[in-house]
């Protein structure tokens, strides 16, 4: 590992050295692409701002990059996998993504769809990349402007302690465009996508959908509880629509709706599943005056999961079906007041309503195991002062969350069935733009996470109850720099510290059958360093490289087995490098390397399993044909995991090895 | 572990040290940032437009500058740059000869504000892409103009006028532009 890390450091250093021609001229603005010229970010203050005025490290993934990384498999997490500071495991096509952010577990990054929270585990699998204009990835503590996501499922509440990932929907569509893509590949995968947009200055819309069928591969480790006996069937269907209408001088109403269904089986006779995910976003925005902007957002997220459980290993007969129904409605109201030039005062409130039910179904008869509801309210205020080269940001949030339980393990709870938590959170940040090419920044913020119903009371299968689990409090700090030594190269470095009190951590307690328990692990800390380099040699050649080193530690003096261990699911290092080469004949080659170090699935020194290290090499080939009679076309080839690495992942999942996809696309 | 820490600290120190000794780089054109950005937009626009006379085969792309303003001044300094594989030619032109100037793109300076209607009439039937920094240029019959939105430069395209001129505008440009009909 040392050799590999040393090589990566040497690579990064070489990149750094190559970046400093002393006679470099800087026609920087003339080297920017159309996308870069048009770029703004919206997440920081909820209205459009220049990225130079954001105190956090911001990375923007534009439409071209989105297209390149999500050709057929359509998992938005594949977009993020090459970014520094985060680690994502797409466990399988029909299961949730898992990973870690900023040296903490999988729930410490707030995922948003146009400013309203979504689930980081499954919504990234259900939403189509073609709906997106760009992705804004903010790193560092930012818990003031956005609330937690009140998910009761997966790993519980999600909080923006280590950053925010905002998937920004298309808007301001300028003209008609229709895209059709057909493709297929490994595991008898076949699929197609359709997209159409049109618009004028006052009204624009897009609609689309997709299908994907596959006989997926055995994604279980040898001898695992997954015990896949045949190729698991997989069917995915999705449909979506978005529209935006402008009224009067500065009013706009937007909506977006998406429905994704995926069904199939896990490769055994009674391990069928049928999941449905719904997302609805509604936005009303009003630029009341030159200085005042008002936004009201509301949404609905529905997670309907249904899957069969058998009696494995005793026999493969049907034991029961498990059902999880979760509905979450987030609302956000904010007002921005622009003053002293570009300085911004933002204030507002947000609220969420969540309902969570967990059933068991035997012979068509459903028994409710858990019936819980949750409500949160938050009031936030943030001031961002732009004082010449300095940007100073500070804000606070009052958060109140309550959970009530109507049924626990099928019975009314004894005693108080409601739990309420109130916390005041803060966040500060500063940025110094020494020049157009060099900036320094630092941020600090706090977070709070209440345990989810599932973590307290468990589920019929999979999650073990822990009634004594308590809330956790977190704090995050980072500082870093961005440097453009010349018009082609961007370098970055960021150091981070995140700490949690009473950290709620998911421990894998049993692998066969798969059982997880959420526990308070005491104090947990992570220290990290990220190094990033990106060079755009020309329109035909660009590359990037990044390295993340994380050191994490759990302090639990009451339990020697857990004391001093690592935070689960956090690799000690991760590195990525990629290249985009545009060859003659409009052929683009994009090889990528992703390297991850060691990580564990539990804080129990005696019971944990170590995973990693591993390296993955992927190659994407795209060919564009010249436009003819208003039609553009092209094809792509995705060669994933070229060296056929088959490494084990948590819960006895396994990387499925080399796979390839090919497809064609027409645009008109 | 110590070796790792030392290596990381070394790299971090190098970053910071190199950053400190690096001098700020000057703007090459001497124009204001807004004018530079608008000129940069014009260069980018040319990458996404197909002229019906097959300009891509000609080896040169010609911008004519009519009248004067700060964007026109920046454009004149950009001559002989390359756009893709094509060399950029920038020349001052007179109003009387604009229709036959051989330009792919005509930049109309703000000084021509009062003569705009006459200029656009003279260009009817030609396949010249007209661009100007005049307010509401795309709404007044030009093809590409600029607007400032949230302190960012936004490009506006009059899609009907571009069709009339026989220009094919790429989807990428349409994606980032505001469409005027």
């Amino acid at each position: 590992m040392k050799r590999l890390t040393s090589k990566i450091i040497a690579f990064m250093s070489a990149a750094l050295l190559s970046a400093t021609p002393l006679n470099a001229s800087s026609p920087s603005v003339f080297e920017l692409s159309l996308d870069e010229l048009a770029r703004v970010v919206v997440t920081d203050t909820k209205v459009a701002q220049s990225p130079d005025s954001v105190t956090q490290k911001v990375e923007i993934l534009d439409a071209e990059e989105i297209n390149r990384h999500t050709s057929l498999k359509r998992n938005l997490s594949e977009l993020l996998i090459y970014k520094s500071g985060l680690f994502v495991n797409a466990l399988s096509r029909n299961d949730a993504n898992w990973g870690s952010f900023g040296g903490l577990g999988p729930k410490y990054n707030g995922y948003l769809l146009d400013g309203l929270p979504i689930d980081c585990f499954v919504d990234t699998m259900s939403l189509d990349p073609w709906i997106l204009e760009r992705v804004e990835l903010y790193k560092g503590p930012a818990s003031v402007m956005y609330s937690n996501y009140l998910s009761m499922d997966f790993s519980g509440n999600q909080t923006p302690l280590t950053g925010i990932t905002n998937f920004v929907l298309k808007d301001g569509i300028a003209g008609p465009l229709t895209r059709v893509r057909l493709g297929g590949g490994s595991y008898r995968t076949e699929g197609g996508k359709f997209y159409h947009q049109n618009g004028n200055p006052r009204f624009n819309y897009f609609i689309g959908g997709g299908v994907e069928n596959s006989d997926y591969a055995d994604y279980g480790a040898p001898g695992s509880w997954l015990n896949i006996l045949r190729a698991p069937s997989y069917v995915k269907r999705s449909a979506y629509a978005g529209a935006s209408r402008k009224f009067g001088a500065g009013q706009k109403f937007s909506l977006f709706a998406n429905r994704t269904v995926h069904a199939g089986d896990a490769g055994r006779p009674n391990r069928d599943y049928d999941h449905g995910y719904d997302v609805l976003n509604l936005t009303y925005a009003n630029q009341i005056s030159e200085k005042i902007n008002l936004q009201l957002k509301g949404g609905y997220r529905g997670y309907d999961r249904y899957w069969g459980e058998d009696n494995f290993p005793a026999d493969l007969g049907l034991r029961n079906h498990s059902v999880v129904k979760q509905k979450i409605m987030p609302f956000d109201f904010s007002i921005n007041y622009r003053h002293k030039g570009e300085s911004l005062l933002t204030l507002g409130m947000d609220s969420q309503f969540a309902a969570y039910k967990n059933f068991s179904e035997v012979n068509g008869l459903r028994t409710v195991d858990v019936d819980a509801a949750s409500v949160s309210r938050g009031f936030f205020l943030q001031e961002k002062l732009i004082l010449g080269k300095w940007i100073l940001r500070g804000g606070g949030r009052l958060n109140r969350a309550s959970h009530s339980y109507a049924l626990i393990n099928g019975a009314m709870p004894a005693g108080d069935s409601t739990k309420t938590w109130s916390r005041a959170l803060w966040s500060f940040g500063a940025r110094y733009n020494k020049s157009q090419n060099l900036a320094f920044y630092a941020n600090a913020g706090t977070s709070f996470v209440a345990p989810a119903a599932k973590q307290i009371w468990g589920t019929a299968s999979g999650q073990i109850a822990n009634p004594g689990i308590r809330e956790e409090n977190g704090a995050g700090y980072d500082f870093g720099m961005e440097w453009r030594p010349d018009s082609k190269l961007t370098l970055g470095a960021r150091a981070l510290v995140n700490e949690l009190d009473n950290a709620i951590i998911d421990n894998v307690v049993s692998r066969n059958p798969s059982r997880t328990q959420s526990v308070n692990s005491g104090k947990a800390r992570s220290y990290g360093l990220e190094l990033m380099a990106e060079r755009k040699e020309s329109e035909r050649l660009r590359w990037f490289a990044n390295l993340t080193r994380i050191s994490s530690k759990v302090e639990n003096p009451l339990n020697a087995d857990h004391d001093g261990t690592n935070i689960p699911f956090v690799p000690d290092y991760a590195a990525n490098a990629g290249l985009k080469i545009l060859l003659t004949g409009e052929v683009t080659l994009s090889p990528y390397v992703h390297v991850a170090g060691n990580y564990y699935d539990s804080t129990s020194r005696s019971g944990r399993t170590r995973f990693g290290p591993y390296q993955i090499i992927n190659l994407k080939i795209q060919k564009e044909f010249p436009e003819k009679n208003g039609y553009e076309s092209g094809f792509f080839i995705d060669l994933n995991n070229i060296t056929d690495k088959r490494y084990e992942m948590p819960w006895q999942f396994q990387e499925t090895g080399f796979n390839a996809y090919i497809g064609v696309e027409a645009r008109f | 572990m110590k070796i790792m820490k030392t290596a990381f600290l070394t790299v971090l120190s190098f970053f910071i040290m190199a950053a400190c000794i690096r001098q700020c780089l000057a703007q090459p054109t001497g124009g204001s940032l807004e004018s530079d950005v608008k000129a940069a937009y014009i260069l980018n626009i040319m990458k996404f437009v197909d002229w019906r006379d097959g300009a891509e085969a000609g080896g040169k792309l010609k911008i004519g500058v009519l009248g004067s303003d700060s964007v026109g001044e920046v454009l004149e300094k950009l001559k002989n740059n390359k756009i893709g594989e094509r060399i950029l030619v920038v020349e001052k032109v007179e109003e009387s000869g604009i229709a036959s100037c051989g330009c792919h793109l005509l930049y109309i300076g703000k000084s021509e504000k009062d003569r705009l209607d006459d200029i656009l009439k003279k260009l009817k039937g030609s396949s010249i892409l007209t661009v100007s920094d005049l307010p509401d240029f795309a709404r007044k019959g030009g093809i590409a103009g600029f607007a400032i939105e949230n302190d960012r430069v936004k490009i506006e395209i009059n899609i009907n006028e571009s069709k009339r001129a026989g220009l094919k505008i790429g989807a990428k440009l349409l994606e980032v532009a505001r469409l005027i009909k």
Side-chain angles (χ1 to χ4, degrees), chain A residues 500-620:
Chain A
L500 302 171
D501 273 331
N502 291 325
I504 299 172
I505 281 177
D506 290 318
N507 280 336
V508 175
V509 175
S510 154
R511 290 174 189 85
N512 198 351
S514 175
R515 305 281 276 170
T516 300
Q517 187 179 42
S518 301
V519 297
N520 289 116
S521 69
K523 200 176 268 295
R525 278 200 190 90
S526 67
Y527 302 91
L529 177 66
E530 299 170 22
L531 301 173
M532 298 149 265
E534 192 173 350
R535 188 168 179 90
K536 185 179 170 185
E537 294 290 344
S538 67
E539 286 294 328
R540 293 185 168 274
L541 177 64
R542 61 173 70 180
W543 60 260
F544 74 90
N546 59 59
L547 170 68
T548 305
R549 177 77 172 95
I550 295 284
S551 172
S552 69
K553 194 175 179 182
V554 171
E555 289 176 18
N556 194 341
L558 299 177
N559 189 334
D561 186 42
H562 293 253
D563 192 29
T565 57
N566 302 99
I567 298 175
F569 310 110
V570 179
D572 53 359
Y573 70 90
N576 302 284
L579 190 64
K580 181 195 158 195
I581 316 164
L582 178 58
L583 305 172
T584 52
E586 294 298 303
V587 174
T588 306
L589 294 182
S590 306
Y592 295 92
V593 183
H594 172 66
V595 181
N598 291 308
Y599 65 98
Y600 298 90
D601 62 355
S602 168
T603 53
S604 166
R605 190 175 279 108
S606 58
R608 67 186 181 178
T609 300
R610 193 174 85 163
F611 302 93
Y614 62 83
Q615 306 86 39
I616 290 278
I617 300 172
N618 299 329
L619 174 65
K620 293 176 187 288

Side-chain angles (χ1 to χ4, degrees), chain A residues 144 347-350 377-381 396-400:
Chain A
V144 171
L347 60 100
M349 64 167 294
D350 51 43
R377 283 183 198 89
F379 297 90
F380 55 87
L381 176 77
R397 160 180 283 271
L398 293 173
N399 239 22
R400 184 181 169 85

